[in-house]
Amino acid sequence: MAGSRRPPGTELVPAPVNRAANAVPGLAVGLGALWYGAEAGAGWQRAAALVVVAGCGVLAVRGYRAGVRCEARRLVVRGYVWTRVIPREAVTGVTDLPAVRWTSPGGRRRWTPVTALAAVSGEIGSVRSRKRGATARLRRWAARG
């Protein structure tokens, strides 16, 4: 893609059905808040409902986009609330959760969970397999560091 601001890398995201499911909590609460705002009498109640709807919209989009981007010099972990950028040389391993173990510039040992690739009981085999495959690719990327 010409003019892209992103360095080349590998996107590790769950299956499309999981990505949609990750967006559901934000959508469900947002729709409830929208309904509440439509029924609310006072102006401040409607304003509060709009703030909640906007926050839920952000949560739904972030849930859908949750995943990991493995680049040459850094790892970008996108979660529901924040995005963590970890320099490649700081990564020390990947746990079974999965979570990325890394060391901060000050020497503190840290870990960042990759919620988008976490296994959930009751998942169908193909979904679980895709998540395991993505976790294995993340481990290989970390090992090459």
Side-chain angles (χ1 to χ4, degrees):
M1 178 157 88
S4 176
R5 293 184 286 172
R6 243 187 225 177
T10 302
E11 287 285 340
L12 302 176
V13 294
V17 68
N18 281 103
R19 295 179 80 183
N22 289 344
V24 167
L27 291 173
V29 174
L31 287 173
L34 190 63
W35 177 75
Y36 173 80
E39 298 293 321
W44 69 269
Q45 291 173 322
R46 289 183 180 182
L50 285 176
V51 170
V52 171
V53 168
C56 288
V58 170
L59 182 65
V61 170
R62 289 196 59 86
Y64 182 81
R65 294 193 65 231
V68 178
R69 182 169 179 79
C70 303
E71 299 175 356
R73 297 185 181 177
R74 67 185 190 163
L75 183 68
V76 180
V77 180
R78 290 183 313 273
Y80 282 98
V81 180
W82 63 78
T83 297
R84 169 105 43 208
V85 178
I86 305 168
R88 185 177 196 139
E89 62 273 4
V91 176
T92 58
V94 178
T95 69
D96 289 336
L97 182 56
V100 178
R101 290 190 187 276
W102 57 285
T103 306
S104 71
R108 184 173 174 215
R109 296 171 70 184
R110 310 273 314 254
W111 70 282
T112 299
V114 183
T115 55
L117 301 180
V120 179
S121 64
E123 286 181 324
I124 61 174
S126 62
V127 168
R128 187 176 299 260
S129 176
R130 180 178 172 128
K131 287 181 177 181
R132 283 186 183 150
T135 302
R137 290 177 70 188
L138 179 59
R139 281 195 175 105
R140 286 192 300 273
W141 178 89
R144 288 192 306 259

